[in-house]
Amino acid sequence: MNSESQLLASQHQLLTEYRYKHNPIYRGYNNRLLYIDLDSMTVKEKQITPEIKEKFTGGRGFGLYYLWQAVTPQTKWNDPENEIVIAHGPLSGITQYPGAGKSLVCALSPLTHLPIDSNVGGYFGPFLKFSGFDALELQGKADNDVIIFIDGNEHEIRIETAPSEAIDSHILVEQLSDMYANNDDDKSSIAIVCSGTAAENCNIGMLNFSFWDKRRGCARLKQAGRGGIGRVFRDKHIKAIVCRYRGVNGDINNPAEKRLINTAGIRLHKEVANSDHLQNNMRKIGTANIIEVMDQYDLLPCYNYQFGSDPQTEKITSQVFIDNYVTQGVPDGCWYGCSLSCAKAVNNFLLRTGPYKGQRVCVDGPEYENAAGLGANTGTFDPDWILEANFYCDTYGLDTISMGTMTAFAMECFDRGIITLEHTGGLDLSWGNGESLCELMHQMSRGEGFGIIVGRGVREMKKIFVEEYGADKNFLEDIGMEQKGLEYSEYLMKESLAQQGGYALCNKGPQHDEAWLIFMDIVNNQMPTFEDKAEALYYFPLFRTWFGLLGMCKLPWNDITPADNKYSDDPAKVPGHVRNYCQVFEGVTGKSIAENDILKMSDRVYTFQRVFILRMGSGQRCHDKPPYRSLGPVTKEEYLSRENRYDKQLKEKTGIDPVAKSVEEKIAILRIWREQQFETLVDAVYKRRGWTPNGIPKLQKLEELGIDFPEVVAVVKPYLQAEGFWPDYAE
Amino acid sequence: MRKLIVDYSLCNGCGRCEIVCSKAFFKEENREKSAIRIFSNQYGGYHGQYRLAVCDQCGVCAKMCTPMALYVDDNGVWKIDKNKCVGCLICIGECDRGLIYYHDDLPTPFKCIACGLCVRACPTGALRLSE
């Protein structure tokens, strides 16, 4: 420990100490979780029963189940009873198969006031598991900043005051890695969860999960970005959670049949080694490989989702980052065994603004969402500003996706004169002003200025602009890209009906991790009918949910595919990899499963989450309504940017000759047609999911899934009765 | 650089190299735990009847090793530090010639470290060490 760490540690005061008995993991489960109440500083172990395992599997399932138990329909995000639940899953921590280090974080969100789930890499999830716990439940609020330390080797938990460490993540993780590791070599045994200064002031606060990068000799950060969980974390006065575990190997899960895991893992490692450079180039540039692809297909959100491409995209293509920024030739896996290694980093990046101006730092990224959201969507086609904004989002604890979408909204309002320099406190929010983008973040960190208004999220910004600045409510509802209170992630869905549904029908709000159907829909035209789209919006959200139940990453499923995948029955599902997952699941748990079992496991949790959001005041059809910009062109400029396409659609689909019509008239007619299309899609999807036309899961569905618990049925009953779907046999 | 050199034309497929290797490192006579493997050469030709698969110390496997368990020693031989290795098997995928091996009984993969035991055991002189 260096002298700075010694000084910081000397100021810690021990509040609670708890020792526990370590039991070996059995087939992927510890069968217990760790519960911490920060009000009373109590630490408890809770048994996870076979029934809870059977119904909720792990990860997001456990997170939502325990959150449900903790809160009431009246609970607000900043009430002490709101919990942060961090859970991994039965496959988490295996080292042989790529992508097995994910944690799922659930809490009531300050943005949506609903349960949010956010997935994140880094070492914390596996280390928590190896320490003896399948989940961590955090409830209550500490009086002052604390660090929770879990020593997985000594089987001890300590809660300590932490008055003097930094709050911003890039400094804090270095301080804590040094403080809690036994020596430099031991730093890879330390996993940290923390947030940042802006998370204290903004609803879009996120959580960083660290991992130690041996080659670069620094702590790296992955983010549980969506939904503002970082704000809940800081509101609970948690400065950090630190887990120490030394001795990682491929056997700690005590798997049922290691052979199955090994063979599937090697098969995928070989595929990645042989094909990644021919497919998505994830090893070289990670998810940013699609920046120019999205632009090429008119799907890159530019200028607050008005347009899908821009000539300036050439300044921020993946090749620009590969050639000039991202450190190459080092493995960037955020958990051991990830041969896909998409977590890129830029070393020695010189900051131009803010409190760390002039310093050279390591920037984690850029990921696609950061380049698209902080870059194209705000008109900032400048890699240096994108990276600077990326860095500050990470260290301040801000979700890059929400930050991009919110700033894009504010910039459009500025561009259209809805807000002015007077409102922004003199901050020039013109499109592409990267310096202002960063200044908004600095204001969020300092808790002052217009940044605080932007940091409330698009939904609250709309309210303020309408009520206090006299803006046109309908127009802002059309262009403010949020739904259920969550900002849209960074894909232009306007021309893909399936993706419109993929976003709007998400339980947590519009995030693409449930369904990313743009390519299937408009590039490959694989879903021509409503029923086809509904089937995709049944299958993919469930299949993708499964990753979050198991502690797995989605990327190695379809960001690398077997060389012969295109000849398979259903290439979009990557059947070869689905077989791998079934094999690995059996290898760890000993249970043989098929694709249908995957869907059923997920459907239980997915449907439970739907009932949960209903319980918290959302979850009906009216809440699934998206802003019109996600369905079609709101403004003249948008219409004209795709005039031929829209004119053709008017003629062919509505039978109206566009020639004699003004652009405004054409926008209005197209809107009626597109909104009808969307509603027809919603009908088809609800039906396929076993929900009523109002979006309520039917009793038969709950029974079929085995989640007809009295408290769950009690939530849906009045809605089903009102809609005439309460069955006679249940009377 | 020290590495194993194979003269395929001299190999008679007796398997002594495999046995001595697995005995030395895993205390059992088990071809599946040997870092050198003999395969029947179905194509025949001037290389002889057998093909011996053994590491030539190129080091490609080490590039993607996250815990940096693969290291090169003073003789230019690539070795796996078992204390650092987490058993992820990425190195096996990286070696396009399949010269790193694993066994389900073992927590970590293994490879030829050019120790030379098989050279001494080979009755035909098909193996030698190059310095």
Side-chain angles (χ1 to χ4, degrees):
Chain A
M1 199 190 298
N2 64 35
S3 56
E4 186 205 356
S5 304
Q6 279 174 3
L7 181 65
L8 293 169
S10 70
Q11 294 166 48
H12 287 198
Q13 189 191 340
L14 184 65
L15 300 174
T16 299
E17 201 167 20
Y18 181 84
R19 292 194 64 79
Y20 61 94
K21 186 173 175 296
H22 184 66
N23 301 315
I25 296 171
Y26 181 68
R27 297 189 172 185
Y29 286 101
N30 287 288
N31 300 315
R32 71 174 164 186
L33 64 77
L34 179 64
Y35 170 86
I36 294 177
D37 179 8
L38 293 163
D39 282 336
S40 59
M41 290 294 157
T42 15
V43 180
K44 278 197 304 199
E45 296 165 53
K46 284 188 189 173
Q47 289 307 303
I48 297 173
T49 64
E51 192 193 7
I52 294 171
K53 267 167 55 179
E54 169 69 25
K55 305 290 188 196
F56 296 96
T57 309
R60 175 170 156 192
F62 284 178
L64 291 168
Y65 172 77
Y66 287 102
L67 184 62
W68 174 298
Q69 308 303 318
V71 301
T72 71
Q74 288 73 43
T75 303
K76 302 287 177 242
W77 72 269
N78 54 357
D79 286 337
E81 71 258 30
N82 186 19
E83 286 192 343
I84 296 172
V85 188
I86 304 174
H88 35 80
L91 305 196
S92 163
I94 57 171
T95 59
Q96 302 93 330
Y97 198 86
K102 286 278 188 172
S103 299
L104 273 289
V105 193
C106 293
L108 291 186
S109 157
L111 283 166
T112 65
H113 308 285
L114 303 173
I116 188 88
D117 60 278
S118 193
N119 78 73
V120 56
Y123 289 1
F124 185 83
F127 282 9
L128 177 70
K129 182 185 220 181
F130 300 158
S131 298
F133 304 102
D134 291 336
L136 169 63
E137 247 186 300
L138 297 163
Q139 201 169 33
K141 287 188 196 185
D143 294 331
N144 297 298
D145 276 356
V146 295
I147 286 174
I148 298 164
F149 177 54
I150 302 163
D151 191 326
N153 296 110
E154 299 297 324
H155 314 133
E156 184 182 55
I157 291 143
R158 294 203 307 264
I159 305 178
E160 307 166 341
T161 60
S164 305
E165 286 85 354
I167 293 170
D168 286 340
S169 283
H170 80 290
I171 303 175
L172 180 59
V173 290
E174 294 290 339
Q175 289 172 337
L176 299 183
S177 295
D178 189 63
M179 190 183 296
Y180 287 98
N182 289 344
N183 50 53
D184 272 357
D185 191 47
D186 195 41
K187 285 181 179 173
S188 56
S189 311
I190 302 294
I192 299 158
V193 181
C194 56
S195 189
T197 44
E200 296 171 5
N201 306 312
C202 298
N203 289 338
I204 61 163
M206 60 73 174
L207 293 181
N208 282 304
F209 279 54
S210 76
F211 66 98
W212 187 258
D213 185 331
K214 273 198 167 182
R215 279 190 169 77
R216 290 185 178 86
C218 64
R220 301 273 304 279
L221 302 171
K222 297 297 288 179
Q223 294 76 34
R226 306 303 336 256
I229 305 172
R231 179 149 217 198
V232 183
F233 190 84
R234 290 300 297 137
D235 185 62
K236 290 184 179 301
H237 291 127
I238 305 170
K239 191 170 264 182
I241 312 168
V242 182
C243 189
R244 178 175 181 274
Y245 185 83
R246 188 162 187 81
V248 173
N249 65 56
D251 298 338
I252 309 176
N253 266 303
N254 200 357
E257 194 169 353
K258 197 168 99 173
R259 176 183 60 86
L260 296 174
I261 308 167
N262 282 351
T263 50
I266 290 171
R267 196 156 58 229
L268 188 51
H269 290 327
K270 284 183 187 293
E271 262 174 38
V272 174
N274 294 334
S275 304
D276 177 57
H277 65 290
L278 304 171
Q279 295 184 16
N280 294 331
N281 227 5
M282 297 293 277
R283 280 185 172 183
K284 267 203 157 162
I285 192 59
T287 58
N289 75 83
I290 57 170
I291 297 169
E292 57 271 25
V293 181
M294 291 294 108
D295 184 80
Q296 189 190 339
Y297 285 101
D298 208 17
L299 297 169
L300 182 72
C302 298
Y303 304 97
N304 194 30
Y305 301 86
Q306 292 185 77
F307 314 111
S309 61
D310 192 278
Q312 294 188 79
T313 302
E314 65 179 22
K315 296 180 193 165
I316 59 164
T317 62
S318 61
Q319 200 58 47
V320 171
F321 288 104
I322 291 171
D323 290 345
N324 306 316
Y325 296 94
V326 175
T327 331
Q328 294 294 325
V330 285
D332 276 303
C334 68
W335 174 243
Y336 296 114
C338 190
S339 38
L340 205 56
S341 288
C342 74
K344 297 298 123 194
V346 177
N347 285 105
N348 296 314
F349 182 77
L350 180 66
L351 296 169
R352 291 185 283 171
T353 68
Y356 309 113
K357 181 180 173 176
Q359 294 183 18
R360 289 192 179 272
V361 293
C362 176
V363 187
D364 270 278
E367 294 190 36
Y368 164 75
E369 299 286 335
N370 307 349
L374 301 168
N377 217 358
T378 66
T380 310
F381 295 92
D382 180 326
D384 286 301
W385 283 123
I386 290 171
L387 288 168
E388 178 125 354
N390 192 153
F391 170 80
Y392 274 115
C393 272
D394 289 353
T395 197
Y396 285 158
L398 293 168
D399 172 23
T400 51
I401 295 176
S402 279
M403 186 69 211
T405 300
M406 292 177 344
T407 307
F409 172 73
M411 283 183 167
E412 184 173 357
C413 289
F414 189 83
D415 182 61
R416 295 184 183 280
I418 295 167
I419 58 171
T420 63
L421 289 172
E422 196 184 328
H423 301 114
T424 64
L427 200 59
D428 175 7
L429 288 182
S430 301
W431 293 120
N433 192 333
E435 194 165 359
S436 292
L437 166 66
C438 292
E439 180 53 27
L440 282 175
M441 295 181 206
H442 303 320
Q443 291 181 350
M444 291 174 187
S445 164
R446 297 193 298 266
E448 64 184 36
F450 190 66
I452 292 303
I453 291 175
V454 176
R456 291 186 189 181
V458 170
R459 179 165 282 193
E460 290 199 31
M461 254 195 288
K462 285 190 295 192
K463 197 163 178 280
I464 293 167
F465 292 2
V466 171
E467 291 177 4
E468 297 179 25
Y469 307 163
D472 176 351
K473 183 172 188 295
N474 290 338
F475 183 67
L476 293 199
E477 290 299 342
D478 282 350
I479 67 162
M481 293 299 283
E482 62 85 16
Q483 190 232 37
K484 300 187 180 83
L486 187 70
E487 285 72 28
Y488 272 75
S489 67
E490 309 302 332
Y491 296 96
L492 196 81
M493 70 309 287
K494 218 179 291 188
E495 313 308 335
S496 163
L497 182 58
Q499 188 59 40
Q500 291 162 16
Y503 271 128
L505 303 178
C506 268
N507 284 327
K508 68 178 160 201
Q511 167 71 355
H512 58 281
D513 66 341
E514 274 199 9
W516 193 85
L517 303 171
I518 292 180
F519 255 57
M520 280 176 72
D521 194 21
I522 54 176
V523 178
N524 299 333
N525 196 24
Q526 288 168 307
M527 299 178 286
T529 68
F530 283 107
E531 286 67 31
D532 294 334
K533 293 183 200 325
E535 184 58 33
L537 285 167
Y538 169 76
Y539 179 90
F540 288 104
L542 293 187
F543 186 72
R544 284 165 171 258
T545 291
W546 197 63
F547 294 110
L549 307 185
L550 300 187
M552 299 293 282
C553 175
K554 166 261 152 196
L555 299 185
W557 162 53
N558 68 352
D559 278 288
I560 179 78
T561 55
D564 59 356
N565 187 52
K566 62 184 170 196
Y567 304 114
S568 65
D569 291 343
D570 203 341
K573 294 180 179 173
V574 199
H577 288 178
V578 176
R579 284 193 290 278
N580 277 357
Y581 286 114
C582 291
Q583 185 177 325
V584 173
F585 185 86
E586 183 179 356
V588 175
T589 67
K591 280 189 213 162
S592 170
I593 58 164
E595 192 179 357
N596 275 345
D597 301 305
I598 290 178
L599 299 184
K600 190 159 185 182
M601 277 184 239
S602 294
D603 210 352
R604 287 193 196 103
V605 174
Y606 194 83
T607 306
F608 179 79
Q609 189 168 5
R610 182 73 179 181
V611 180
F612 198 169
I613 66 170
L614 185 67
R615 180 185 182 223
M616 300 308 293
S618 178
Q620 297 182 68
R621 189 174 185 130
C622 58
H623 303 109
D624 287 340
K625 188 175 185 299
Y628 182 63
R629 182 165 280 168
S630 80
L631 305 184
V634 175
T635 63
K636 205 170 168 178
E637 304 86 73
E638 286 167 86
Y639 192 97
L640 292 175
S641 74
R642 296 192 178 98
E643 190 174 22
N644 289 344
R645 175 200 282 259
Y646 294 144
D647 279 356
K648 188 166 174 253
Q649 209 165 58
L650 279 179
K651 204 168 183 177
E652 290 176 0
K653 305 292 183 183
T654 69
I656 289 169
D657 183 3
V659 175
K661 304 283 181 196
S662 70
V663 175
E664 288 77 7
E665 285 171 326
K666 290 193 286 189
I667 289 173
I669 299 165
L670 190 67
R671 180 170 187 152
I672 292 168
W673 182 74
R674 286 206 169 197
E675 286 182 337
Q676 280 170 352
Q677 293 283 295
F678 179 76
E679 294 304 329
T680 309
L681 177 75
V682 173
D683 284 334
V685 175
Y686 283 177
K687 188 176 170 196
R688 181 65 186 90
R689 288 181 180 177
W691 301 355
T692 70
N694 191 30
I696 314 297
K698 293 178 186 170
L699 182 63
Q700 295 90 325
K701 173 85 178 184
L702 301 178
E703 288 169 345
E704 184 191 307
L705 295 172
I707 55 166
D708 51 331
F709 310 120
E711 65 271 31
V712 172
V713 174
V715 173
V716 297
K717 186 176 177 182
Y719 295 95
L720 293 178
Q721 283 174 328
E723 222 180 332
F725 279 95
W726 184 251
D728 293 339
Y729 70 81
E731 286 299 340
Chain B
M1 182 205 288
R2 184 197 292 172
K3 66 177 181 180
L4 211 57
I5 305 285
V6 181
D7 184 340
Y8 297 99
S9 64
L10 295 177
C11 177
N12 66 4
C14 71
R16 285 186 204 177
C17 53
E18 296 174 334
I19 298 301
V20 74
C21 183
S22 73
K23 268 184 88 168
F25 293 100
F26 301 109
K27 314 291 179 231
E28 59 180 294
E29 295 186 4
N30 182 351
R31 179 179 186 270
E32 300 299 319
K33 291 184 180 174
S34 168
I36 180 169
R37 305 274 172 100
I38 304 171
F39 296 95
S40 166
N41 188 352
Q42 56 177 315
Y43 301 111
Y46 71 93
H47 276 324
Q49 200 177 346
Y50 297 97
R51 181 170 67 83
L52 277 93
V54 67
C55 175
D56 68 355
Q57 314 300 338
C58 75
V60 161
C61 52
K63 198 175 138 194
M64 288 297 292
C65 180
T66 310
M68 296 172 74
L70 272 154
Y71 67 99
V72 64
D73 73 6
D74 293 343
N75 295 316
V77 174
W78 286 93
K79 292 179 172 172
I80 298 172
D81 181 337
K82 288 183 185 171
N83 292 319
K84 289 185 178 170
C85 177
V86 296
C88 72
L89 312 179
I90 285 181
C91 52
I92 293 177
E94 291 304 299
C95 179
D96 60 3
R97 287 172 297 161
L99 302 177
I100 299 187
Y101 299 100
Y102 76 103
H103 192 283
D104 294 325
D105 289 352
L106 305 170
T108 55
F110 51 94
K111 67 181 287 299
C112 173
I113 56 165
C115 69
L117 287 174
C118 55
V119 174
R120 290 201 285 279
C122 178
T124 66
L127 298 168
R128 67 184 171 87
L129 275 181
S130 116
E131 290 295 340

